[in-house]
Amino acid sequence: MKPESRVAPPSTETSAVRPESARSALMASVLGFFVITLDAVVVNVALPSIRSDVGGGMTGQQWIVDGYTLAFAALLLSAGALSDRLGARRSFSVGLGVFVAASLACGLAPGLGALIAARVVQGGAAAVMMPASMALIGHGFPDPVRRARAVAVWAMGGAVASTSGPVLGGLLNLVSWRLIFLINLPVGIVGLILLVHAQRSPRRQVPFDWAGQTTAVLAMGGMTYGIIEAGAVGPTAPQVVASLAVGLAALVAFAVAQSRGRHPMVPPTLVRSRVVAVACASGFAFMIGNYGVPFVMTLYLQQHRGLTSLGTGIAFLPMMLIGFILTPFVARIVERIGARRLIPLGFLSLAAGLIALAVLPSDAPIPVISGLLVLVGLCGPLVIPPISGVLLNSVPAHLSGTASGVFHTSRQVGGALAVAVFGALLADAANFSAGVTWSLLAAAAVALCAAVASRALKASRTP
């Protein structure tokens, strides 16, 4: 049987990693993860300002968010193979350079179409950067203990971005919404300078699943476009029906390609695993609540409660801070009560917060809304770290990277579809309040289903 990959000749890599080189690679990875996460969360509070400047209505606001998320999700599975082919340092440099250029294009966009196009490029570049950043850490810190510490430092980049994003976006938006994108330029340039001092990464010739990648893009894009357009022109419009049909057909083709292809992006071994299925369902449900709900509540707080962008960011701050504070203690909590109990608890907290927000009177005090959002924010630390640990402990070591890619892709797909569906429910201005209520209740229903499904996590292992 022929091997699926081979290591490049020894001349393409260096055996010993210098400490200063490893530190430079780590700091560049942290900055990369920071801007990736920041651009996923910061844009929400600026949507009303962007709409008033470049137009586009609800559909335009959905695509500003989903253009980034969709490209990120669609390319994430193949980005790992690209990182192996080019080498992590080169792949990360290319991704970060394109991300900086796309951020500049977002900040200077003359109209809605140019802004959405630049957001799509941003998302694709983020997908290239994500696995390369982890590979940089893996190569720079071969010792397991030092690597674990480095990963913890890397994770803080995303945590800081998630926590500060709404407030930072609100502050910058008071001057101009364009600054939320232009702030990436100095951060990205510093990251590129740090990469110059990082050591060259090894390269491997790995297969690329062209059929799987093509059908994945068509499936995600077709279904998301159809849902978004359904809110604008109605579910029976020809372009909606055609788009959904293309998306469903591509989804079937993707499943066939993965089951019969020689080098599938999602190996059948993972498909048959109960743990992988539950982890992906959990990631999907988590993003519907923690990505879709900020989209809904931002529009509600600014358009119907009259808050400024900064006021909206402050209202979200307790929700973001709870995850930042609690995450360092999750490992000890899991040791005490187990992931099988903690994960459903996180989803129950999410569902409780969403239901409470849905039944609040329209004139409820903002501090009450902010306090209930804390229940939504609790889901992150109670679900994502333990489900990630369960996933990685349940798959063979050689499939851990692929399993992680599948898990993160399911999360991004959940976020993209949440914005598409919730935006369609909010598209009718006359029924905006009802749309907010139904969006929150729909997210709560998904969270409750995930709580039940996560109880299936036992001692099952991947075959």
Side-chain angles (χ1 to χ4, degrees):
M1 182 176 179
K2 295 182 179 180
E4 293 190 357
S5 63
R6 61 180 179 84
V7 178
S11 59
T12 63
E13 60 179 297
T14 307
S15 56
V17 181
R18 301 186 305 274
E20 61 275 14
S21 172
R23 286 193 294 269
S24 295
L26 174 58
M27 293 311 300
S29 298
V30 170
L31 293 177
F33 193 27
F34 175 85
V35 295
I36 289 172
T37 307
L38 184 68
D39 271 58
V41 300
V42 74
V43 73
N44 280 319
V45 297
L47 287 175
S49 297
I50 296 174
R51 178 179 180 177
S52 65
D53 190 7
V54 301
M58 179 60 69
T59 300
Q61 293 178 90
Q62 289 171 276
W63 277 116
I64 291 170
V65 177
D66 266 356
Y68 181 89
T69 310
L70 264 181
F72 195 177
L75 300 177
L76 190 56
L77 284 175
S78 296
L82 178 65
S83 177
D84 286 340
R85 281 176 171 269
L86 297 180
R89 189 183 73 165
R90 182 179 297 178
S91 181
F92 190 85
S93 299
V94 171
L96 184 55
V98 174
F99 191 93
V100 168
S103 298
L104 178 62
C106 287
L108 301 178
L112 181 63
L115 176 58
I116 293 173
R119 286 285 285 170
V120 171
V121 176
Q122 263 193 326
V128 173
M129 291 162 61
M130 181 65 86
S133 67
M134 292 300 295
L136 275 174
I137 294 173
H139 178 59
F141 298 88
D143 176 70
V145 175
R146 295 185 65 220
R147 180 184 298 172
R149 294 172 181 171
V151 170
V153 173
W154 173 83
M156 287 302 295
V160 170
S162 296
T163 305
S164 63
V167 176
L168 179 61
L171 283 170
L172 295 174
N173 189 61
L174 293 178
V175 181
S176 171
W177 62 266
R178 298 179 184 275
L179 291 179
I180 69 172
F181 300 112
L182 296 179
I183 194 176
N184 294 330
L185 271 63
V187 178
I189 290 171
V190 172
L192 290 171
I193 293 173
L194 287 169
L195 285 173
V196 173
H197 303 285
Q199 205 156 330
R200 293 182 62 185
S201 304
R203 289 180 289 171
R204 296 190 300 134
Q205 294 299 320
V206 295
F208 191 85
D209 183 9
W210 289 106
Q213 181 62 80
T214 302
T215 52
V217 170
L218 288 174
M220 295 180 197
M223 295 179 69
T224 304
Y225 178 84
I227 295 171
I228 290 177
E229 286 299 304
V233 299
T236 59
Q239 65 266 38
V240 173
V241 175
S243 179
L244 292 176
V246 169
L248 290 173
L251 184 62
V252 173
F254 176 79
V256 172
Q258 299 310 288
S259 63
R260 299 182 180 180
R262 294 182 59 187
H263 306 293
M265 292 191 296
V266 185
T269 302
L270 295 181
V271 176
R272 294 192 294 266
S273 168
R274 176 189 296 181
V275 172
V276 174
V278 172
C280 290
S282 298
F284 181 90
F286 164 78
M287 285 295 280
I288 285 179
N290 278 259
Y291 197 76
V293 169
F295 173 80
V296 172
M297 295 304 295
T298 294
L299 298 178
Y300 168 75
L301 291 173
Q302 293 194 42
Q303 295 182 9
H304 284 256
R305 297 301 300 270
L307 266 65
T308 64
S309 58
L310 178 58
T312 302
I314 293 174
F316 278 109
L317 188 58
M319 170 185 169
M320 302 300 180
L321 279 175
I322 190 66
F324 184 80
I325 294 170
L326 189 58
T327 296
F329 305 100
V330 169
R332 295 182 181 180
I333 299 174
V334 172
E335 292 174 2
R336 286 179 175 272
I337 69 173
R340 188 168 177 264
R341 294 180 180 176
L342 189 61
I343 294 168
L345 183 62
F347 280 119
L348 290 175
S349 173
L350 173 61
L354 294 172
I355 293 172
L357 288 168
V359 300
L360 274 181
S362 58
D363 59 348
I366 299 300
V368 173
I369 296 174
S370 185
L372 290 175
L373 284 171
V374 171
L375 293 174
V376 177
L378 274 172
C379 181
L382 297 184
V383 169
I384 297 303
I387 198 67
S388 300
V390 170
L391 175 65
L392 294 179
N393 289 333
S394 302
V395 299
H398 70 282
L399 288 178
S400 60
T402 303
S404 179
V406 172
F407 172 63
H408 287 293
T409 299
S410 70
R411 292 181 57 188
Q412 298 302 319
V413 171
L417 291 181
V419 171
V421 173
F422 297 166
L425 292 173
L426 301 176
D428 185 1
N431 296 310
F432 184 88
S433 295
V436 171
T437 300
W438 283 112
S439 297
L440 296 173
L441 292 177
V446 173
L448 289 173
C449 291
V452 174
S454 60
R455 293 290 295 172
L457 288 173
K458 297 181 181 179
S460 55
R461 294 184 179 272
T462 301

